[in-house]
Amino acid sequence: QVQLVESGGGLVQAGGPMRLSCVVSGRVFSINAMGWYRQAPGKQRELVATSTSDGSTNYADSVKGRFTISRDNVKSTVYLQMNSLKPEDTAVYYCNAAIRRHLYTGWVDYWGQGTQVTVSS
């Protein structure tokens, strides 16, 4: 069974850093895009950053210059380094990955359980 397991959330003061990690567990054939999304109370889930298997990255305008997404394909892990955090970054952060479990199956989106990030002012 494939699972995405996130870690690294918690409470941080405004201006501080935090790093999130997400590892894909279980046997898979291939992983394409991996990314991070977030959902604040009363708001829709929104894209934070994505990284494709060829190294391309994409960021939400609100986090450009502050957040950096990276991945370790050997470890099937994606990271989100968050710097200069703001109270408006407070949300539940979700890891996402497009995965093929076998050679003859299609791509399926998997989601982590979410990790809370709270930025105090």
Side-chain angles (χ1 to χ4, degrees), residues 56-85:
S56 299
T57 58
N58 181 49
Y59 295 91
D61 288 342
S62 59
V63 307
K64 283 181 181 177
R66 300 188 298 122
F67 291 11
T68 302
I69 189 170
S70 60
R71 59 192 284 174
D72 184 330
N73 291 326
V74 173
K75 296 181 179 179
S76 298
T77 301
V78 63
Y79 306 95
L80 185 68
Q81 178 65 45
M82 303 183 290
N83 297 326
S84 303
L85 280 160

Short mmCIF file of all heavy atoms in Angstrom, two decimals, residues 56-85:
data_model
loop_
_atom_site.label_atom_id
_atom_site.label_comp_id
_atom_site.label_asym_id
_atom_site.label_seq_id
_atom_site.Cartn_x
_atom_site.Cartn_y
_atom_site.Cartn_z
N SER A 56 11.89 20.59 -12.74
CA SER A 56 11.17 21.86 -12.85
C SER A 56 10.38 22.13 -11.58
O SER A 56 9.84 21.21 -10.97
CB SER A 56 10.21 21.81 -14.04
OG SER A 56 10.91 21.60 -15.24
N THR A 57 10.35 23.40 -11.19
CA THR A 57 9.61 23.78 -9.99
C THR A 57 8.62 24.91 -10.31
O THR A 57 8.80 25.66 -11.27
CB THR A 57 10.55 24.24 -8.87
OG1 THR A 57 11.34 25.34 -9.35
CG2 THR A 57 11.46 23.11 -8.43
N ASN A 58 7.60 24.99 -9.47
CA ASN A 58 6.58 26.02 -9.62
C ASN A 58 6.15 26.45 -8.23
O ASN A 58 6.00 25.60 -7.34
CB ASN A 58 5.39 25.47 -10.42
CG ASN A 58 4.33 26.51 -10.63
OD1 ASN A 58 4.61 27.61 -11.06
ND2 ASN A 58 3.08 26.16 -10.33
N TYR A 59 5.96 27.75 -8.05
CA TYR A 59 5.60 28.28 -6.74
C TYR A 59 4.39 29.21 -6.83
O TYR A 59 4.21 29.92 -7.83
CB TYR A 59 6.76 29.09 -6.14
CG TYR A 59 7.98 28.28 -5.82
CD1 TYR A 59 9.00 28.12 -6.76
CD2 TYR A 59 8.13 27.65 -4.58
CE1 TYR A 59 10.13 27.37 -6.48
CE2 TYR A 59 9.26 26.91 -4.29
CZ TYR A 59 10.25 26.77 -5.24
OH TYR A 59 11.38 26.03 -4.95
N ALA A 60 3.62 29.23 -5.77
CA ALA A 60 2.58 30.24 -5.64
C ALA A 60 3.26 31.59 -5.47
O ALA A 60 4.32 31.69 -4.85
CB ALA A 60 1.70 29.93 -4.44
N ASP A 61 2.64 32.61 -6.00
CA ASP A 61 3.23 33.96 -5.91
C ASP A 61 3.47 34.37 -4.46
O ASP A 61 4.45 35.05 -4.14
CB ASP A 61 2.32 34.98 -6.58
CG ASP A 61 2.33 34.87 -8.10
OD1 ASP A 61 3.27 34.25 -8.64
OD2 ASP A 61 1.40 35.38 -8.73
N SER A 62 2.60 33.92 -3.56
CA SER A 62 2.68 34.35 -2.17
C SER A 62 3.89 33.77 -1.44
O SER A 62 4.24 34.27 -0.36
CB SER A 62 1.40 33.94 -1.43
OG SER A 62 1.22 32.54 -1.51
N VAL A 63 4.53 32.75 -2.00
CA VAL A 63 5.66 32.13 -1.31
C VAL A 63 6.97 32.25 -2.09
O VAL A 63 8.02 31.85 -1.58
CB VAL A 63 5.39 30.64 -1.00
CG1 VAL A 63 4.07 30.48 -0.26
CG2 VAL A 63 5.40 29.79 -2.26
N LYS A 64 6.92 32.80 -3.28
CA LYS A 64 8.14 32.94 -4.08
C LYS A 64 9.18 33.76 -3.33
O LYS A 64 8.88 34.80 -2.75
CB LYS A 64 7.82 33.62 -5.42
CG LYS A 64 7.17 32.70 -6.43
CD LYS A 64 6.90 33.42 -7.74
CE LYS A 64 6.23 32.49 -8.74
NZ LYS A 64 5.89 33.18 -10.00
N GLY A 65 10.41 33.25 -3.35
CA GLY A 65 11.49 33.93 -2.67
C GLY A 65 11.61 33.57 -1.20
O GLY A 65 12.61 33.90 -0.56
N ARG A 66 10.61 32.91 -0.65
CA ARG A 66 10.64 32.52 0.77
C ARG A 66 10.68 31.00 0.94
O ARG A 66 11.30 30.49 1.87
CB ARG A 66 9.42 33.08 1.51
CG ARG A 66 9.32 34.59 1.47
CD ARG A 66 8.19 35.08 2.39
NE ARG A 66 6.89 34.60 1.99
CZ ARG A 66 6.08 33.88 2.77
NH1 ARG A 66 6.44 33.55 4.01
NH2 ARG A 66 4.88 33.49 2.32
N PHE A 67 9.99 30.28 0.08
CA PHE A 67 9.90 28.82 0.18
C PHE A 67 10.72 28.18 -0.93
O PHE A 67 10.79 28.71 -2.05
CB PHE A 67 8.45 28.35 0.04
CG PHE A 67 7.55 28.71 1.19
CD1 PHE A 67 7.94 29.60 2.18
CD2 PHE A 67 6.29 28.15 1.28
CE1 PHE A 67 7.11 29.92 3.23
CE2 PHE A 67 5.43 28.45 2.32
CZ PHE A 67 5.84 29.35 3.29
N THR A 68 11.28 27.02 -0.63
CA THR A 68 12.02 26.25 -1.62
C THR A 68 11.61 24.79 -1.55
O THR A 68 11.67 24.18 -0.47
CB THR A 68 13.54 26.35 -1.39
OG1 THR A 68 13.94 27.73 -1.43
CG2 THR A 68 14.30 25.58 -2.46
N ILE A 69 11.21 24.25 -2.69
CA ILE A 69 10.87 22.83 -2.76
C ILE A 69 12.06 22.07 -3.34
O ILE A 69 12.74 22.56 -4.25
CB ILE A 69 9.60 22.59 -3.61
CG1 ILE A 69 9.15 21.13 -3.50
CG2 ILE A 69 9.82 23.00 -5.06
CD1 ILE A 69 7.78 20.88 -4.12
N SER A 70 12.31 20.90 -2.77
CA SER A 70 13.39 20.06 -3.30
C SER A 70 12.96 18.60 -3.11
O SER A 70 12.03 18.31 -2.36
CB SER A 70 14.70 20.33 -2.57
OG SER A 70 14.59 20.07 -1.19
N ARG A 71 13.66 17.70 -3.81
CA ARG A 71 13.28 16.29 -3.70
C ARG A 71 14.51 15.42 -3.81
O ARG A 71 15.50 15.79 -4.45
CB ARG A 71 12.24 15.91 -4.75
CG ARG A 71 12.68 16.14 -6.17
CD ARG A 71 11.50 16.04 -7.13
NE ARG A 71 11.08 14.67 -7.37
CZ ARG A 71 10.01 14.33 -8.09
NH1 ARG A 71 9.24 15.28 -8.59
NH2 ARG A 71 9.71 13.07 -8.29
N ASP A 72 14.41 14.29 -3.18
CA ASP A 72 15.44 13.26 -3.26
C ASP A 72 14.77 12.05 -3.89
O ASP A 72 14.02 11.33 -3.23
CB ASP A 72 15.98 12.94 -1.86
CG ASP A 72 17.11 11.95 -1.88
OD1 ASP A 72 17.15 11.10 -2.79
OD2 ASP A 72 17.96 12.00 -0.97
N ASN A 73 15.03 11.83 -5.16
CA ASN A 73 14.34 10.76 -5.88
C ASN A 73 14.77 9.37 -5.38
O ASN A 73 13.99 8.42 -5.45
CB ASN A 73 14.59 10.88 -7.37
CG ASN A 73 13.90 12.10 -7.97
OD1 ASN A 73 12.83 12.48 -7.52
ND2 ASN A 73 14.53 12.71 -8.96
N VAL A 74 15.97 9.25 -4.88
CA VAL A 74 16.42 7.96 -4.36
C VAL A 74 15.64 7.60 -3.10
O VAL A 74 15.25 6.45 -2.90
CB VAL A 74 17.93 8.00 -4.06
CG1 VAL A 74 18.37 6.72 -3.36
CG2 VAL A 74 18.72 8.22 -5.35
N LYS A 75 15.38 8.60 -2.28
CA LYS A 75 14.65 8.38 -1.04
C LYS A 75 13.14 8.57 -1.20
O LYS A 75 12.40 8.44 -0.22
CB LYS A 75 15.16 9.33 0.04
CG LYS A 75 16.61 9.09 0.44
CD LYS A 75 17.03 10.06 1.53
CE LYS A 75 18.47 9.81 1.96
NZ LYS A 75 18.90 10.77 3.03
N SER A 76 12.70 8.91 -2.41
CA SER A 76 11.27 9.16 -2.67
C SER A 76 10.71 10.17 -1.67
O SER A 76 9.64 9.98 -1.08
CB SER A 76 10.47 7.85 -2.57
OG SER A 76 10.91 6.93 -3.54
N THR A 77 11.44 11.24 -1.50
CA THR A 77 11.11 12.25 -0.49
C THR A 77 11.09 13.63 -1.12
O THR A 77 11.95 13.95 -1.96
CB THR A 77 12.12 12.21 0.67
OG1 THR A 77 12.10 10.91 1.26
CG2 THR A 77 11.76 13.25 1.72
N VAL A 78 10.13 14.44 -0.69
CA VAL A 78 10.07 15.83 -1.11
C VAL A 78 10.11 16.70 0.14
O VAL A 78 9.55 16.33 1.18
CB VAL A 78 8.81 16.11 -1.96
CG1 VAL A 78 7.53 15.88 -1.17
CG2 VAL A 78 8.85 17.51 -2.54
N TYR A 79 10.78 17.82 0.02
CA TYR A 79 10.96 18.74 1.14
C TYR A 79 10.39 20.12 0.80
O TYR A 79 10.32 20.49 -0.38
CB TYR A 79 12.45 18.91 1.48
CG TYR A 79 13.17 17.61 1.73
CD1 TYR A 79 13.89 16.99 0.70
CD2 TYR A 79 13.16 17.01 2.98
CE1 TYR A 79 14.57 15.81 0.92
CE2 TYR A 79 13.84 15.82 3.21
CZ TYR A 79 14.53 15.23 2.17
OH TYR A 79 15.20 14.04 2.39
N LEU A 80 10.03 20.84 1.83
CA LEU A 80 9.63 22.23 1.65
C LEU A 80 10.33 23.04 2.73
O LEU A 80 10.00 22.93 3.91
CB LEU A 80 8.11 22.40 1.76
CG LEU A 80 7.61 23.82 1.47
CD1 LEU A 80 7.82 24.16 -0.02
CD2 LEU A 80 6.13 23.97 1.84
N GLN A 81 11.30 23.82 2.31
CA GLN A 81 12.00 24.72 3.22
C GLN A 81 11.27 26.04 3.20
O GLN A 81 11.15 26.68 2.15
CB GLN A 81 13.45 24.90 2.80
CG GLN A 81 14.23 25.88 3.68
CD GLN A 81 14.40 25.38 5.09
OE1 GLN A 81 14.73 24.22 5.32
NE2 GLN A 81 14.18 26.26 6.07
N MET A 82 10.79 26.45 4.37
CA MET A 82 10.01 27.68 4.48
C MET A 82 10.79 28.67 5.33
O MET A 82 11.11 28.37 6.49
CB MET A 82 8.64 27.38 5.11
CG MET A 82 7.85 26.33 4.35
SD MET A 82 6.20 26.03 5.03
CE MET A 82 6.63 25.22 6.57
N ASN A 83 11.09 29.81 4.77
CA ASN A 83 11.80 30.86 5.48
C ASN A 83 10.93 32.11 5.56
O ASN A 83 9.96 32.26 4.82
CB ASN A 83 13.11 31.18 4.77
CG ASN A 83 14.07 30.01 4.76
OD1 ASN A 83 14.13 29.22 5.70
ND2 ASN A 83 14.85 29.89 3.69
N SER A 84 11.30 33.00 6.45
CA SER A 84 10.56 34.26 6.61
C SER A 84 9.07 34.02 6.71
O SER A 84 8.26 34.68 6.03
CB SER A 84 10.88 35.20 5.44
OG SER A 84 12.27 35.44 5.33
N LEU A 85 8.71 33.10 7.58
CA LEU A 85 7.29 32.72 7.68
C LEU A 85 6.45 33.88 8.21
O LEU A 85 6.90 34.69 9.03
CB LEU A 85 7.15 31.51 8.59
CG LEU A 85 7.48 30.19 7.89
CD1 LEU A 85 7.79 29.10 8.90
CD2 LEU A 85 6.33 29.77 6.98
#
